[in-house]
């Protein structure tokens, strides 16, 4: 792991790692980031190799089980995922009731509902409560992990249809994960390049060491709460615009700009003291160009070349990128385009409405979240940091009717 610059805050108790920057919380063999050189590995494999050669299912298997699957293992895994796509009727009811809420609220509630009705989850929770986590319990945990990966996609696609007054369509067991998702959303067989675009998006977002959402998942899981509740917490953390919500904000900004000639003023506004942050730029760990952004940019260019630059988004993004790469403000702070700079454009091209961009991030990242929880459970210890208290002590208690 390559260390980036630290932001320390002094306090009466000593130095505080503000925002836990560079604080190590565990060892991991799931993913690694070299923020200085802009390199990402999943289980030792470069993201570029996986993006070029793999499918989401293969990457999900790799992240969960720690090795690339054989053809037989992949077929079995793919078939298990496909068989787990259906939702509990209670979850569908929840989604209907939340059809007009932001899909991230709906995803939180739907995941919690699935957990409440999953017998495997109940059994595992009982075992964990009594301190039992042997081979049998681990097998149960992996079974639940696979269900979570399969069902997150259905939850998001169902919410999309319900929010538009459309009946959900049943998942197809014969379709790969990305194709099935698009089929569930739009109710028709997706076009090949759209499936490739979504599959790429899912591969690139599947894990990223311990950002806020993965930390949130592990904090909850470390209390031996159940897997579904831990994932609901991760979804909640992902929702914020500083994390998973950035891709939605990026496309909204580009659409507002409308024309590449206006890129300069938007970028310059972000350099002014107190100005708005430029969404899709900067990263806590990467102090170089995000490798995932580069891959998505290439795909966006290919897609745009074939189908045209819908609403000028590619041209606007290129113009903004040029400004960002040239202005001293960004260079000095080592702020480069991150994955969200380009991911929103790819999803926009695929016809996915922008309130579903962050939910789609969850559809992909759920596998990273569960992989990290399962890894942490092998050596679990409850998270319990400390805070430096700076308020008063031993104040005299004044009864309520004597207070001025
Ligand atoms: N636009 C303008 N200035 C920025 C930006 C930006 N996007 N990002 C950071 N800065 C400035 C920041 O104001 C600060 O300046 P100064 O030193 O003068 O106070 C300096 O750069 C360091 O920033 P920071 O806020 O301390 O950095 P951080 O590590 O706390 O935040 C970040 C990282 C990603 C939250 C931040 O860069 C940001 O808000 N970016 C925009 C939101 C975004 O694109 N988020 C998606 C992240 S990638 C997907 C994911 O992993 O979730």
């Amino acid at each position: 792991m390559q260390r980036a610059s630290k932001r320390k805050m002094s306090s009466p108790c000593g130095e505080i790692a503000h925002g836990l920057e560079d604080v190590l919380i565990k060892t991991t063999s799931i993913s690694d980031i070299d923020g200085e050189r802009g390199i990402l590995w999943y289980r030792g494999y470069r993201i570029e190799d996986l993006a070029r050669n793999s499918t989401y299912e293969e990457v999900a298997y790799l992240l969960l089980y720690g090795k690339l699957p054989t053809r037989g293992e992949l077929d079995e895994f793919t078939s298990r995922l496909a068989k787990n796509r259906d939702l509990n009727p209670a979850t569908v009811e929840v989604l209907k009731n939340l059809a007009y809420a932001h899909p991230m609220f709906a995803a939180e509630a739907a995941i919690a509902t699935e957990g409440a009705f999953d017998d495997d989850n109940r059994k595992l929770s009982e075992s964990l409560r009594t301190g039992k986590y042997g081979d049998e319990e681990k097998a149960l945990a992996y079974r639940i992990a696979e269900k979570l990966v399969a069902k997150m996609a259905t939850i998001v696609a169902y919410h999309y249809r319900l929010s538009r007054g459309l009946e959900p369509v049943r998942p197809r067991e014969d379709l790969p994960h990305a194709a099935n998702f698009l089929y569930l959303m739009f109710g028709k067989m997706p076009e090949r390049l759209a499936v490739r675009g979504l599959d790429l998006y899912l591969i690139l977002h599947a894990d990223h060491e311990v950002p806020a959402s993965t930390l949130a998942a592990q904090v909850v899981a470390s209390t031996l709460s159940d897997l579904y509740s831990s994932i609901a917490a991760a979804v909640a953390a992902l929702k914020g615009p500083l994390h998973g919500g950035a891709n939605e904000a990026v496309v909204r900004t580009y659409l507002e700009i409308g024309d590449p000639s206006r890129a300069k003023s938007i970028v310059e506004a972000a350099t002014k003291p107190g100005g708005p942050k430029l969404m899709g730029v900067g990263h806590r760990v990467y102090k170089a160009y995000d490798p995932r952004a580069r891959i998505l940019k290439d795909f966006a260019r290919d897609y745009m070349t074939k189908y045209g630059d819908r609403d000028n988004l590619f041209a606007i993004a290129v113009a903004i990128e040029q400004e960002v790469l040239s202005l001293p403000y960004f260079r000095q702070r080592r702020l480069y385009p991150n994955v969200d700079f380009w991911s929103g454009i790819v999803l926009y091209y695929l016809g996915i409405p922008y309130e579903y961009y962050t939910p789609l991030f969850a559809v992909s990242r759920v596998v990273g979240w569960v992989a990290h929880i399962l890894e942490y459970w092998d050596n679990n210890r409850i998270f319990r940091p400390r805070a430096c208290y700076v308020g008063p002590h031993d104040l005299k208690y004044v009864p309520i009717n004597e207070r001025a």
Side-chain angles (χ1 to χ4, degrees):
M1 189 198 68
Q2 200 76 24
R3 301 292 193 86
S5 69
K6 291 190 187 71
R7 272 210 162 191
K8 297 289 183 194
M9 242 175 71
S10 60
S11 84
C13 319
E15 235 177 29
I16 288 175
H18 200 196
L20 293 183
E21 181 163 357
D22 272 353
V23 171
L24 301 175
I25 60 153
K26 64 167 188 174
T27 58
T28 184
S29 50
I30 299 174
S31 62
D32 190 20
I33 305 167
D34 182 334
E36 294 296 318
R37 293 190 294 154
I39 305 176
L40 170 63
W41 297 264
Y42 290 169
R43 299 275 190 192
Y45 295 96
R46 286 264 192 144
I47 194 65
E48 291 81 1
D49 288 334
L50 294 169
R52 198 175 308 115
N53 302 304
S54 281
T55 59
Y56 178 70
E57 283 91 330
E58 197 177 0
V59 164
Y61 185 100
L62 171 70
L63 291 171
L64 268 181
Y65 294 102
K67 70 177 213 31
L68 283 172
T70 61
R71 169 58 58 200
E73 286 166 338
L74 181 61
D75 288 347
E76 280 173 27
F77 178 68
T78 303
S79 148
R80 289 198 301 274
L81 286 186
K83 285 189 169 59
N84 274 316
R85 283 179 179 150
D86 273 321
L87 301 180
N88 189 293
T91 309
V92 180
E93 277 310 304
V94 166
L95 290 171
K96 280 184 185 158
N97 287 326
L98 293 176
Y100 302 107
H102 191 282
M104 289 300 272
F105 279 124
E108 287 170 38
I111 283 292
T113 311
E114 276 296 318
F117 290 97
D118 183 351
D119 273 350
D120 285 342
N121 194 40
R122 188 183 44 73
K123 273 188 224 146
L124 181 60
S125 294
E126 275 164 19
S127 299
L128 289 172
R129 199 168 301 122
T130 56
K132 241 176 102 193
Y133 190 59
D135 288 348
E136 213 176 296
E137 289 72 28
K138 278 188 194 175
L140 214 49
Y142 276 89
R143 200 151 78 212
I144 298 171
E146 292 182 0
K147 287 189 213 180
L148 278 159
V149 174
K151 290 179 198 301
M152 187 70 87
T154 316
I155 287 171
V156 172
Y158 271 28
H159 185 271
Y160 166 80
R161 289 190 73 80
L162 291 165
S163 71
R164 267 106 184 128
L166 300 167
E167 270 302 303
V169 294
R170 286 286 312 282
R172 291 254 308 251
E173 282 190 24
D174 59 325
L175 292 180
H177 203 62
N180 175 66
F181 179 82
L182 291 169
Y183 171 76
L184 284 184
M185 217 171 178
F186 300 120
K188 58 177 193 223
M189 279 302 288
E191 186 265 329
R192 198 191 54 80
L193 199 56
V195 174
R196 171 67 185 140
L198 186 66
D199 203 43
L200 202 53
Y201 174 93
L202 295 175
I203 290 170
L204 297 175
H205 286 77
D207 194 51
H208 211 226
E209 204 216 44
V210 278
S213 57
T214 311
L215 178 65
Q218 285 170 107
V219 169
V220 175
S222 80
T223 70
L224 300 185
S225 181
D226 67 291
L227 274 169
Y228 288 85
S229 303
S230 308
I231 297 306
V235 171
L238 186 71
K239 184 164 166 280
L242 296 187
H243 189 7
N247 49 15
E248 179 177 337
V250 165
V251 170
R252 283 181 192 271
T253 309
Y254 293 177
L255 288 172
E256 265 166 43
I257 293 175
D259 191 278
S261 63
R262 295 190 54 223
K264 197 178 170 84
S265 61
I266 296 286
V267 177
E268 277 175 359
T271 68
K272 302 276 180 298
K277 275 188 174 172
L278 191 59
M279 290 291 131
V281 171
H283 200 277
R284 175 62 63 81
V285 184
Y286 290 119
K287 302 301 162 196
Y289 204 102
D290 183 332
R292 302 166 300 171
R294 193 168 283 117
I295 296 167
L296 286 169
K297 179 181 179 182
D298 288 346
F299 178 83
R301 188 190 294 103
D302 291 350
Y303 197 91
M304 186 251 334
T305 309
K306 186 159 182 207
Y307 293 109
D309 187 11
R310 200 173 144 213
D311 292 315
N312 268 341
L313 286 198
F314 193 86
I316 292 168
V318 166
I320 292 181
E321 184 179 81
Q322 272 166 6
E323 294 297 329
V324 167
L325 297 179
S326 67
L327 282 180
Y329 174 92
F330 294 95
R331 277 214 308 276
Q332 280 155 9
R333 289 169 180 75
R334 305 171 77 197
L335 303 170
Y336 293 89
N338 62 47
V339 67
D340 291 322
F341 192 91
W342 291 104
S343 67
I345 298 182
V346 169
L347 298 181
Y348 190 78
Y349 283 165
L350 302 190
I352 294 169
Y354 38 68
E355 67 272 25
Y356 287 88
Y357 295 180
T358 315
L360 253 173
F361 195 153
V363 168
S364 163
R365 184 60 58 83
V366 61
V367 72
W369 292 331
V370 280
H372 277 277
I373 293 171
L374 299 182
E375 182 181 68
Y376 195 73
W377 273 354
D378 279 339
N379 186 18
N380 189 61
R381 190 159 189 241
I382 189 168
F383 280 93
R384 203 323 183 172
R386 297 295 309 271
C388 179
Y389 179 72
V390 292
H393 286 113
D394 299 331
L395 297 180
K396 183 173 161 17
Y397 182 83
V398 181
I400 192 158
N401 47 10
E402 291 171 25
R403 285 174 216 157

